[in-house]
Amino acid sequence: MRKILWPLLIGAALLLSGCGSNDFDEPGKGNDNNGTNTETTADGNITSGQDANTSKGLKIELPIEKVVITQAGSSKKIIARVTENGFGVKGKTVVIKKMPDKGSLSPQEITTDEAGDATFTYRAPASLEEKTMTVTFCLKEKESLCKNLTLVLTQDVSNIDDAVDNINYSIQFHLSNQANNLALGSKENAIVTLIDKDTNETIPADRIESFTISSRDANILKITPESGGTPVSTISYAAKQNPVTVLLNADRINSGLAILEVTVKYTNKNGISKTRGQLFAIAVLSGEPTAFSINSDGVTYNFDTKQFEHKFIIQAVDNAGNRISSPGVINISVMASFAKDNTGKEILYGRYEKDNNGISATLNPASGSAEIILSGAAPFSEYDDSTGLGIKKQRAMVAVFGDVETYEANGKWNLKEIVSGDKLLFSNEYHGDNHAGLGMAVGYNYRDKICSNTYEEAVVYVDANDGKYSLDKDGKAIVVIKHDAYMIGKRIMLMVNMTGLNPGSDRILRSGEVHETTLAFHLPLKGKTINIPKGQTIDAYITGVIDTGTGDEYSVRNSTFSCEIELNNAKIVNGPFKNDPNDCGQERAFLGYKVTTVDTAKDGSITFKRCQVDAEKRF
């Protein structure tokens, strides 16, 4: 156990609940809805190789593969799930590659939550007509992984196929103490339930084949049935039980995060045997803060300073009902742009990168500090003024990110030396463990305005002295970052670090987290209605304009945006057309469609509304 001396500084471990999930058919027992085991590429072709219904490898899945809409103007949530090796993956981006012909489906892309779910909303058109459509969802990080949804519009409820299973299955995990942590040596019952995620209703017990609960970290947390007994690492429950209760037994010496695997086998309403796996993390606390979370708290515009101010809530958690009484300090940094290797690709690997190329990093202790070594790439080099490629060592910082088990490696690191093409040395003090399978990025707290003739930089400021914030009596800090209009539509990484002192050795212990987001404003971009003369085909374009609500307006630059489209006696012939954010000839963002009238004897119109900046593409 590492006991941390407080209140000098606070050490933290990441706390994650419901951190992954997966639904897959039981091998050899078939597949509902269409009776086939296939996975679809972005162009609609069937891929060969891995069975789409096995639990191995990275996958995109649709718990409900056929949605039937019978009411005009109604809405329906549609979930696409990203899984890897049987469990959901947080932080993956799912995009809609093929939109429905009727109605609207939004957002265009979204990042998966802790359970691996990306939730979209379909809104039916105001006038319902018989229509069967195909919608294609793809994994942005690996666009060859796609899944098709069948979307049916009908007014004839008798045509609804009763065999379609419309349940979004999910595992619910609740501790009796209403928290996700235990004190050293304590015991708490946890209730585990298979539910319908949309309605929160419990799935009937007679459809449950088995529950299996396992602790990956039995040195920290063991389990027993509710009735007690000898603590073990794995328990299986017989059929026809939902919910089940498991007794969690925290170790008396070792603290930290324990990962629990929950797997339930059940029969869906089509009689098909299915399996869902989900991960949950339980913090065994030593009585001091060891966990925190990062959540956005909105964006405002300061008319006097002409800056946008983005707030984040950092919440530290302890074993006394999610509150802490010790003061502490967190350190905040922002990466606003990324260094590029000698091919022009961002030095960014792991869950935030463009491609799933298998490159990963290992962090090792190194003479009181740490070094990071890449496996599968060697992108590190000194900055070259003539090409604009490489690392500006004096201004660079490094973000390291992994999962709940690599918390002491996560966060910001200060670059000391580029040792080789695949190795960096840090200047931070570090006495922790080795950690493999990490993601990492090299970047800066500013972004070049690439189309400026005066070499301007857009800087993201942390509104605190040296980036330090004190936690309040509830273990919370409101963090504010400030930036100008140019940064709207740009990706950043918010890095949080918390440190503490081990009184036994007087060595610094650390933990951290990295949170990626695209900066946006809470108000939509300005919309526009464009008239289409009768019988004509025109190019209808709109430029991206940020309306601050104060009279100040700014153009969206070197970014892209999307709008909801409303057509009146019109149809889209081609589009959308968007600017290239890296082309200075197209610096100002635009969106356009080629449109024509439906009834050639009447004028028509196209309306761009509820426009928002797109998540910035990775490259």
Side-chain angles (χ1 to χ4, degrees):
M1 178 188 72
R2 292 173 177 168
K3 187 174 180 182
I4 300 175
L5 182 62
W6 310 100
L8 173 64
L9 289 173
I10 292 180
L14 302 181
L15 176 61
L16 177 61
S17 175
C19 50
S21 67
N22 181 38
D23 283 298
F24 52 90
D25 293 342
E26 191 66 8
K29 295 189 179 182
N31 179 285
D32 52 339
N33 294 327
N34 60 13
T36 59
N37 292 337
T38 58
E39 200 148 337
T40 310
T41 62
D43 56 8
N45 295 321
I46 303 301
T47 62
S48 60
Q50 178 181 302
D51 188 328
N53 291 313
T54 61
S55 63
K56 302 299 183 182
L58 191 66
K59 299 170 54 182
I60 184 168
E61 302 172 333
L62 297 173
I64 301 174
E65 296 185 350
K66 182 178 181 181
V67 173
V68 180
I69 304 295
T70 61
Q71 290 184 323
S74 63
S75 61
K76 170 69 177 177
K77 291 189 182 299
I78 297 174
I79 293 177
R81 178 168 294 126
V82 179
T83 63
E84 187 169 21
N85 298 326
F87 295 95
V89 183
K90 177 185 177 182
K92 294 292 184 181
T93 303
V94 178
V95 299
I96 306 171
K97 280 295 183 182
K98 184 178 181 182
M99 298 289 287
D101 302 325
K102 301 291 184 181
S104 64
L105 184 60
S106 62
Q108 175 70 36
E109 62 179 55
I110 194 169
T111 301
T112 54
D113 62 15
E114 289 84 358
D117 291 344
T119 302
F120 299 84
T121 300
Y122 175 75
R123 184 171 295 279
S127 177
L128 207 61
E129 61 183 65
E130 298 292 325
K131 184 79 172 178
T132 298
M133 300 170 286
T134 298
V135 180
T136 303
F137 299 90
C138 296
L139 182 62
K140 188 171 185 178
E141 293 85 352
K142 190 174 183 181
E143 294 190 358
S144 62
L145 290 182
C146 300
K147 202 72 173 178
N148 287 338
L149 171 84
T150 300
L151 184 60
V152 179
L153 304 183
T154 180
Q155 295 181 13
D156 186 358
V157 295
S158 64
N159 288 335
I160 299 177
D161 185 357
D162 290 335
V164 176
D165 190 345
N166 290 316
I167 296 176
N168 280 324
Y169 295 91
S170 184
I171 298 173
Q172 189 178 74
F173 190 98
H174 282 160
L175 266 69
S176 58
N177 66 0
Q178 303 299 312
N180 270 49
N181 52 64
L182 289 82
L184 286 171
S186 67
K187 298 180 180 181
E188 289 286 347
N189 280 322
I191 300 174
V192 187
T193 314
L194 183 67
I195 64 168
D196 181 341
K197 191 174 184 178
D198 290 338
T199 65
N200 211 38
E201 294 181 359
T202 300
I203 302 302
D206 59 7
R207 289 171 50 193
I208 304 299
E209 297 179 11
S210 67
F211 269 96
T212 301
I213 303 174
S214 298
S215 173
R216 289 184 179 179
D217 305 280
N219 63 318
I220 296 173
L221 185 72
K222 288 187 173 68
I223 54 178
T224 61
E226 181 182 14
S227 58
T230 301
V232 294
S233 59
T234 299
I235 297 176
S236 294
Y237 295 80
K240 298 184 178 181
Q241 298 185 68
N242 192 34
V244 297
T245 301
V246 61
L247 183 62
L248 307 181
N249 297 256
D251 192 78
R252 295 182 177 277
I253 298 175
N254 296 314
S255 63
L257 284 175
I259 306 299
L260 293 180
E261 297 180 348
V262 179
T263 305
V264 57
K265 293 184 178 181
Y266 63 95
T267 302
N268 72 2
K269 74 176 191 178
N270 303 332
I272 304 297
S273 182
K274 305 275 283 186
T275 299
R276 180 177 178 87
Q278 206 160 315
L279 300 179
F280 297 90
I282 305 298
V284 175
L285 306 174
S286 60
E288 301 293 350
T290 60
F292 65 91
S293 62
I294 307 170
N295 294 288
S296 175
D297 193 35
V299 187
T300 59
Y301 175 72
N302 190 316
F303 179 78
D304 294 326
T305 64
K306 309 302 181 187
Q307 289 183 319
F308 294 82
E309 300 180 355
H310 197 142
K311 293 183 180 180
F312 294 88
I313 298 177
I314 312 297
Q315 178 69 65
V317 183
D318 73 352
N319 60 354
N322 290 331
R323 291 191 173 191
I324 65 169
S325 57
S326 302
V329 174
I330 56 175
N331 296 273
I332 306 297
S333 305
V334 177
M335 187 176 290
S337 65
F338 302 91
K340 296 178 181 178
D341 65 19
N342 57 14
T343 69
K345 184 181 183 296
E346 292 175 340
I347 301 178
L348 170 60
Y349 304 98
R351 67 174 180 255
Y352 299 124
E353 68 176 311
K354 177 182 178 182
D355 304 310
N356 183 23
N357 54 21
I359 298 172
S360 64
T362 299
L363 185 134
N364 303 312
S367 302
S369 184
E371 63 183 15
I372 196 162
I373 302 173
L374 270 184
S375 174
F380 308 138
S381 64
E382 297 278 356
Y383 185 75
D384 185 338
D385 286 319
S386 64
T387 64
L389 304 177
I391 300 171
K392 300 176 182 178
K393 190 172 67 173
Q394 301 304 319
R395 303 186 69 180
M397 62 182 77
V398 179
V400 177
F401 41 89
D403 55 28
V404 294
E405 296 176 338
T406 63
Y407 60 87
E408 65 180 354
N410 300 341
K412 176 199 172 185
W413 293 83
N414 298 321
L415 178 60
K416 180 178 181 180
E417 183 180 349
I418 302 173
V419 180
S420 63
D422 60 358
K423 182 189 292 188
L424 301 176
L425 180 65
F426 300 141
S427 60
N428 312 70
E429 184 175 352
Y430 182 68
H431 302 280
D433 296 327
N434 299 68
H435 294 281
L438 299 168
M440 62 85 64
V442 181
Y444 314 98
N445 73 332
Y446 66 92
R447 182 175 291 232
D448 290 324
K449 296 184 178 181
I450 59 175
C451 299
S452 170
N453 293 324
T454 56
Y455 303 98
E456 290 183 72
E457 295 176 350
V459 179
V460 179
Y461 300 93
V462 179
D463 189 27
N465 184 29
D466 295 327
K468 295 180 180 179
Y469 284 85
S470 295
L471 300 171
D472 64 16
K473 62 181 180 63
D474 296 323
K476 183 173 69 176
I478 305 293
V479 171
V480 179
I481 64 172
K482 298 180 178 181
H483 56 85
D484 67 14
Y486 184 81
M487 288 301 300
I488 296 294
K490 311 301 189 296
R491 278 185 297 130
I492 67 163
M493 284 184 173
L494 180 70
M495 296 168 285
V496 181
N497 284 100
M498 307 173 79
T499 55
L501 185 67
N502 185 327
S505 61
D506 289 333
R507 295 190 308 184
I508 295 292
L509 304 177
R510 58 166 281 142
S511 65
E513 175 64 304
V514 175
H515 175 77
E516 189 205 44
T517 188
T518 294
L519 295 176
F521 190 51
H522 72 281
L523 295 177
L525 305 178
K526 295 189 72 173
K528 186 177 183 181
T529 296
I530 299 174
N531 184 66
I532 308 169
K534 57 187 177 183
Q536 292 190 22
T537 299
I538 68 169
D539 293 325
Y541 280 86
I542 181 176
T543 58
V545 176
I546 304 164
D547 184 358
T548 66
T550 67
D552 287 349
E553 295 182 350
Y554 300 94
S555 294
V556 177
R557 298 184 182 275
N558 300 119
S559 298
T560 61
F561 67 97
S562 298
C563 302
E564 291 185 21
I565 302 300
E566 185 176 283
L567 298 171
N568 177 28
N569 187 38
K571 64 179 180 180
I572 293 173
V573 177
N574 203 357
F577 308 108
K578 295 186 179 184
N579 59 296
D580 179 353
N582 298 305
D583 183 349
C584 288
Q586 305 177 34
E587 177 185 5
R588 293 183 63 186
F590 62 78
L591 172 66
Y593 292 87
K594 184 179 288 293
V595 291
T596 189
T597 55
V598 176
D599 184 344
T600 58
K602 298 178 181 179
D603 289 348
S605 66
I606 178 172
T607 298
F608 299 80
K609 60 182 183 179
R610 288 191 279 275
C611 304
Q612 297 287 349
V613 292
D614 297 327
E616 186 179 22
K617 292 183 178 180
R618 300 161 174 84
F619 57 89

